[in-house]
């Protein structure tokens, strides 16, 4: 019996005494120890009656045990559903209910707030804390440390990752074992990962970047990670001399550049810096090279597809571009309306086909169909050009999306909440330049006749329903929203009007 991902990523490491994770405090966890935790967790899930295809929703702080829950889901055949730790109980309720999760694992500190959510959704609620304790860990305590992985084939589902939509309703992207394995294989090869690598890992593990791009690639290569709780410059500086590679969103690089300790000496041991999830300014690319001698390798991906396009490891890493299609992945730039490929140099929407492309949105066959061309290409919604050498440059988005510090924020979700606030006639959410986060969220609100709105009251009104990172950092009250002749709000005009909002922050 085979289990595509478990067999490729985990089983080869059974009994291996090599360090898999080094923690902030210097503690290390070997591959063998990690697999034993994962086996206990998987056996605990099986005991709870969780089997192949059941969804396990997880909102826990980053820790080796949190990562072992992912490995345990692969081994037990369950579908892993990671959730941003910033999500409010109201947001979690949507995901757990929509996915019909059988089990919700959360941090002990949020158990009280999530109890009604789990009850309503019919999910069992257990806890796992950052120090590895909690009711789930207790349940797994005496379980066998060896696992017979549940049979899972390449086209079986491994994970659901929710991504919001322009309608404001989140969609569960269904990722198969083959989607994830094929991408890990492509990345390990393209970026030359070997068992000698040590990845500086300071990303969250509830999104594609920190989870699949980083972790699956490392597992496949049999390499190690310095596994840090988050982005803290002192930690990065302290651990960089032990590492060979780092993956980060552009904010990682702008923050490092703001630190005088970043220089050639600090990065001497590194062989590769990778950036993605949001646009890396060409200026950041150049400044980083000037300070360290390293040319950042920028790549492009999506939750639905994992990674698609990457600058080359050898060959020219062109600042401001995301590079060339990864081997085995077909990429074309097309007219958004007709779907016809546009000539080199012209702007079109990026379309992708390959083993990496997801199976569809959970229980949304119509939405899924809308986002694929009849010949199987997935329509990304990102606008780009391709030059004569095949390098792709992302120039904008056909979708109304803000990316702040690498997190995606869908304006519609916030507009719907603002529109419900007392006295609000209508609202628009835009992203404008932010020196640290790339884009910062701004709200523009129009009051109903005779009402005087206040920014602080509006912010307080939506705070309970929205993760903090989605909440506008400023809300402006306007007399009206600019509209075109079709009545559509002209967000480009608003972005221009409020362009300098964060310039001094
Ligand atoms: C934290 N805050 C944010 C963000 N992060 N606000 C807006 N955007 C953000 N990204 C807020 C907090 O709510 C808090 O607000 C304050 O900022 C400080 O929080 P803290 O946790 O201390 O922030 P930080 O540690 O400085 O985090 C910033 C960060 C982090 C390092 C940029 O957001 C991060 O790790 N981002 C990476 C996201 C990621 O992994 N994306 C990949 C998605 P207050 O103080 O007011 O309470 S996968 C993807 O996109 C595709 C597939 C791809 O291509 O990879
Ligand atoms: P997500 O929905 O979180 O998977 O985010 C995917 C989106 O992030 C893509 O559709 C792009 O808009 C954006 N993205 C990812 N990598 C890059 C990059 N290197 N440059 C610009 N945008 C990127």
């Amino acid at each position: 019996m085979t289990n595509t991902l478990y067999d490729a990523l985990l089983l080869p490491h059974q009994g291996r005494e090599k360090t898999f994770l080094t923690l902030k405090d210097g503690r290390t966890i070997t591959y063998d120890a990690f697999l034993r935790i994962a086996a206990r967790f998987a056996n605990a899930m099986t005991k709870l009656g969780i089997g192949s295809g059941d969804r396990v929703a997880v909102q826990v702080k980053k820790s080796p045990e949190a990562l072992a829950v992912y490995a345990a889901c692969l081994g037990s055949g369950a579908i892993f559903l990671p959730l941003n730790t910033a999500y409010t109980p109201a947001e979690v309720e949507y995901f757990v209910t929509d996915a019909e999760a059988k089990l919700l694992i959360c941090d002990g500190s949020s158990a009280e707030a999530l109890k009604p959510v789990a009850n309503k959704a019919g999910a069992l609620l257990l806890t796992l804390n950052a120090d590895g304790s909690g009711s789930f860990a207790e349940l797994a305590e005496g379980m066998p440390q060896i696992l017979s992985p549940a049979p899972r084939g390449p086209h079986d589902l491994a994970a659901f990752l929710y991504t919001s939509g322009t309608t404001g309703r989140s969609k569960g992207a269904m990722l198969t074992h083959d989607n994830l394995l094929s991408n890990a294989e492509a990345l390990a090869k393209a970026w030359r990962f070997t068992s000698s690598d040590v990845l500086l890992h300071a990303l969250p593990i509830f999104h594609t970047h920190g989870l699949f791009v980083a972790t699956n690639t490392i597992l496949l290569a049999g390499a190690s990670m310095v596994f840090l709780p988050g982005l803290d410059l002192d930690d990065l500086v302290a651990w960089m001399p032990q590492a060979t590679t780092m993956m980060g969103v552009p904010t990682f690089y702008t923050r490092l550049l703001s630190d005088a300790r970043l220089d050639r000496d600090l990065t001497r041991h590194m062989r590769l810096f990778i950036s993605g999830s949001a646009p890396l300014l060409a200026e950041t690319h150049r400044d980083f090279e000037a300070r360290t001698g390293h040319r950042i390798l920028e790549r492009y991906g999506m939750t639905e597809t994992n990674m698609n396009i990457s600058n080359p490891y050898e060959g020219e890493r062109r600042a401001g571009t995301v590079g060339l299609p990864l081997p085995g992945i077909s990429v074309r730039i097309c007219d958004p309306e007709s779907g016809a490929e546009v000539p080199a140099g012209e702007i079109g929407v990026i379309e992708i086909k390959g083993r990496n492309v997801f199976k569809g949105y959970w229980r949304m066959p119509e939405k899924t169909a809308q986002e694929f061309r009849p010949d199987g290409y997935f329509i990304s919604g990102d606008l780009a050009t391709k030059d004569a050498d095949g390098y792709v440059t992302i120039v904008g988005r056909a979708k109304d999306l803000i990316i702040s510090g690498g997190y995606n924020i869908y304006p519609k979700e916030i507009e719907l909440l603002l529109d419900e606030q007392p006295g609000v006639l209508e609202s628009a959410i835009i992203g404008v330049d932010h020196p640290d986060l790339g884009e910062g969220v701004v709200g523009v609100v129009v009051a109903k006749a005779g009402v005087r709105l206040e920014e602080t009251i509006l912010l307080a009104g939506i705070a309970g329903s929205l993760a903090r990172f989605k909440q506008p950092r400023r809300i402006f009250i306007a007399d009206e929203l600019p509209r075109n002749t079709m009545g559509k709000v002209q967000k480009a005009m608003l972005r221009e009007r409020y362009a300098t909002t964060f310039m001094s922050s």
Side-chain angles (χ1 to χ4, degrees):
M1 279 196 292
T2 58
N3 176 314
T4 303
L5 270 173
Y6 199 89
D7 293 354
L9 300 184
L10 294 149
L11 218 50
H13 304 304
Q14 208 156 284
R16 201 158 163 235
E17 285 307 329
K18 181 192 162 101
T19 296
F20 172 43
L21 303 175
T22 302
L23 308 184
K24 179 183 156 93
D25 61 9
R27 198 157 53 94
T28 58
I29 290 161
T30 64
Y31 265 103
D32 187 57
F34 180 76
L35 259 85
R36 281 188 277 116
I37 304 171
R40 284 196 287 105
F41 284 2
N43 288 318
M45 286 180 193
T46 308
K47 188 162 181 226
L48 290 170
I50 289 155
S52 288
D54 289 333
R55 274 77 63 199
V56 174
V58 183
Q59 190 191 35
V60 297
K61 293 187 181 133
K62 185 177 175 182
S63 70
E65 289 78 10
L67 198 60
V69 175
Y70 164 55
C73 284
L74 295 179
S76 68
I79 297 172
F80 183 60
L81 196 177
L83 294 169
N84 193 322
T85 45
Y87 289 151
T88 62
E91 289 167 308
V92 172
E93 179 174 335
Y94 173 81
F95 302 119
V96 176
T97 310
D98 185 67
E100 290 178 9
K102 231 173 169 174
L103 171 63
L104 169 60
I105 305 179
C106 71
D107 188 81
S109 63
S110 40
E112 218 29 59
L114 287 175
K115 211 182 274 173
V117 169
N119 282 345
K120 206 166 152 195
L124 178 67
L125 182 70
L126 292 172
T127 61
L128 182 66
N129 304 314
D131 64 2
S133 65
S135 57
F136 179 66
E138 279 162 30
L139 188 81
E141 195 57 49
M143 290 289 157
Q145 306 199 26
I146 192 95
L147 178 72
S148 313
R152 296 301 269 167
H155 303 298
D156 286 326
L157 298 176
F160 278 10
L161 263 68
Y162 274 80
T163 121
S164 270
T166 39
T167 56
R169 204 181 147 214
S170 275
K171 304 164 286 182
M174 301 188 288
L175 293 150
T176 67
H177 280 241
D178 192 52
N179 293 152
L180 301 180
L181 180 57
S182 65
N183 213 238
E185 286 169 347
L187 298 181
K189 199 163 166 213
W191 298 339
R192 311 286 193 270
F193 273 90
T194 71
S195 58
S196 320
D197 273 309
V198 179
L199 177 77
L200 201 47
H201 190 302
L203 287 161
I205 53 168
F206 43 71
H207 280 314
T208 295
H209 197 163
L211 183 63
F212 302 137
V213 184
T215 308
N216 286 355
T217 306
I218 290 303
L219 284 168
L220 193 72
S224 310
M225 296 195 270
V226 174
F227 205 58
L228 301 172
L231 177 54
D232 176 300
L233 286 176
D234 290 340
D235 288 346
L236 282 197
V237 169
W239 284 102
M240 200 168 288
Q242 317 294 321
T244 61
T245 52
M246 188 182 91
M247 295 183 191
V249 299
T251 302
F252 278 44
Y253 294 100
T254 48
R255 286 201 192 166
L256 272 170
L257 278 165
S258 72
D259 193 305
R261 293 171 292 181
L262 179 80
D263 60 16
R264 280 173 191 261
D265 204 39
L266 181 73
T267 58
R268 195 173 300 287
H269 193 244
M270 298 290 280
R271 69 168 183 88
L272 182 61
F273 288 92
I274 303 173
S275 177
S277 306
L280 182 79
L281 294 177
E283 181 194 338
T284 310
H285 195 280
R286 283 192 286 269
D287 291 350
F288 200 84
E289 185 179 15
R291 281 273 283 284
T292 66
H294 288 278
R295 286 180 75 79
I296 299 171
L297 184 154
E298 186 175 6
R299 56 59 177 179
Y300 158 79
M302 288 184 75
T303 299
E304 288 91 335
T305 61
N306 282 283
M307 300 303 102
N308 306 304
I309 306 178
S310 169
N311 270 281
Y313 186 76
E314 280 137 14
E316 193 192 348
R317 295 179 199 162
R318 274 190 206 166
T321 82
V322 290
L324 307 155
L326 283 160
I329 297 171
S330 306
V331 173
R332 64 188 187 194
I333 314 288
C334 296
D335 181 279
E337 303 306 322
S338 69
E341 251 183 279
V342 298
E346 284 188 21
I347 296 174
V349 68
I350 302 179
E351 299 188 359
I352 305 138
K353 193 173 172 177
R355 279 168 65 192
N356 57 316
V357 177
F358 75 136
K359 204 166 179 168
Y361 297 113
W362 168 249
R363 291 190 180 156
M364 290 188 181
E366 279 141 37
K367 190 75 204 149
T368 304
Q370 275 169 23
E371 302 205 6
F372 280 89
R373 298 282 182 206
D375 61 358
Y377 275 79
F378 174 66
I379 308 165
S380 70
D382 290 307
L383 298 174
T385 59
K386 187 164 78 175
D387 70 13
D389 303 332
Y391 279 73
V392 176
T393 302
I394 295 177
V395 298
R397 297 174 203 133
K399 50 195 175 189
D400 192 13
L401 160 72
I402 298 167
I403 305 184
S404 169
Y407 285 146
N408 286 13
I409 297 166
Y410 281 83
K412 192 78 198 165
E413 184 183 359
I414 310 167
E415 288 161 1
L416 288 171
L417 281 170
L418 276 175
D419 291 349
E420 282 171 10
Q421 299 304 306
V424 171
L425 180 67
E426 57 178 356
S427 64
I429 291 289
I430 51 168
V432 301
D433 284 352
H434 190 287
D436 180 43
L437 300 166
E439 287 182 280
V441 181
V442 166
V444 186
V445 167
V446 178
K448 285 182 180 154
V451 179
R452 213 175 143 264
L453 292 174
E454 288 207 28
E455 182 180 16
T456 46
I457 294 174
L458 289 170
L459 285 170
I462 60 172
S465 322
L466 268 187
R468 177 74 189 104
F469 72 87
K470 297 182 196 168
Q471 294 170 28
R473 301 217 157 197
R474 286 301 313 271
I475 295 183
F476 296 99
I477 316 295
D479 292 338
E480 58 178 11
L481 297 178
R483 291 182 185 275
N484 64 14
T485 47
M486 309 290 288
K488 192 168 182 280
V489 176
Q490 291 188 291
K491 290 201 169 176
M493 280 181 73
L494 288 176
R495 279 192 286 269
E496 222 167 274
R497 191 182 299 166
Y498 298 104
T500 58
T501 306
F502 302 116
M503 279 323 176
S504 56
S505 51

